[in-house]
Amino acid sequence: MKASIASLSADSSNGRRQDCLNLVDGAIGNVRELSQLLRPTILDDFGLDASLRWLTERFQERTRIGVEYESDFSGRLADQTETHLFRIAQEALTNVARHSGAKQVRMRLQSDSSEVRLSISDDGTGLIGGGNGKQKGLGIVGMRARARSAGGELMVLSREGLGLQVEARVPLRGPTDA
């Protein structure tokens, strides 16, 4: 489409032609960014820790909400498990930006001999009415489903006005790795 528009003769509608080219360039950029966010190549190349670091840096740039990231995990997990944890983090950060009013987020990736824990907490408003992790927002439902697909569980802790914490725990060896 861009090549076809670019090959049009530069006549009196040159301004319209340039607008079309700019729209196509914007659409190409959006598709590239979306494909990176679905399964960023950094996840394949460098693993979950580097991917989460990249995600938090991009989130800070985009939202101006501070993120403190800590990790003691440098290993690799099954591809699907890494993708699930990445997408849980992505959804949690999206929820922070959209709903929390937070100024600061803390993300931690930790492991021990049996499991990997990803926790994301913020200093925002928390869930209305407090919350016991049983809210049925689609974002939370999706995060819970991803944690279960990785053989783990998702917990959501909130006190109204005191922020929200999402924690995913998955086995070090995924359900198909055991």
Side-chain angles (χ1 to χ4, degrees):
M1 188 163 80
K2 182 177 179 181
S4 295
I5 293 170
S7 69
L8 292 173
S9 65
D11 58 3
S12 62
S13 63
N14 194 33
R16 178 183 264 174
R17 181 176 162 269
Q18 190 57 47
D19 286 344
C20 289
L21 288 171
N22 290 341
L23 287 171
V24 170
D25 284 340
I28 290 169
N30 287 338
V31 168
R32 285 182 179 148
E33 185 174 347
L34 284 172
S35 67
Q36 275 292 318
L37 291 173
L38 289 174
R39 174 95 182 154
T41 54
I42 192 172
L43 196 53
D44 292 325
D45 296 340
F46 298 104
L48 185 60
D49 178 41
S51 297
L52 292 175
R53 203 171 296 279
W54 171 83
L55 181 66
T56 59
E57 289 169 3
R58 294 286 308 259
F59 177 80
Q60 286 185 103
E61 290 170 7
R62 204 170 56 254
T63 66
R64 302 293 181 227
I65 298 171
V67 180
E68 177 186 324
Y69 177 75
E70 294 176 25
S71 175
D72 70 5
F73 180 72
S74 59
R76 294 301 303 253
L77 300 167
D79 285 351
Q80 272 195 325
T81 301
E82 288 184 345
T83 301
H84 286 317
L85 289 174
F86 179 83
R87 294 301 298 256
I88 289 168
Q90 187 178 37
E91 179 65 29
L93 290 175
T94 297
N95 289 343
V96 167
R98 286 186 182 159
H99 308 296
S100 75
K103 303 265 188 275
Q104 187 68 33
V105 176
R106 183 172 187 190
M107 184 181 297
R108 293 182 1 205
L109 181 65
Q110 300 171 299
S111 66
D112 59 29
S113 61
S114 63
E115 69 180 5
V116 175
R117 291 174 309 283
L118 172 65
S119 76
I120 302 103
S121 57
D122 67 57
D123 64 357
T125 58
L127 296 173
I128 295 173
N132 56 7
K134 303 220 187 278
Q135 279 67 24
K136 294 299 177 191
L138 291 178
I140 291 174
V141 169
M143 288 187 285
R144 189 166 276 127
R146 287 184 177 281
R148 286 185 183 138
S149 286
E153 63 181 337
L154 183 96
M155 292 159 285
V156 179
L157 307 169
S158 176
R159 291 195 322 197
E160 191 172 349
L162 297 176
L164 182 79
Q165 179 177 353
V166 173
E167 182 173 275
R169 293 173 176 246
V170 299
L172 204 50
R173 293 176 158 250
T176 57
D177 296 337

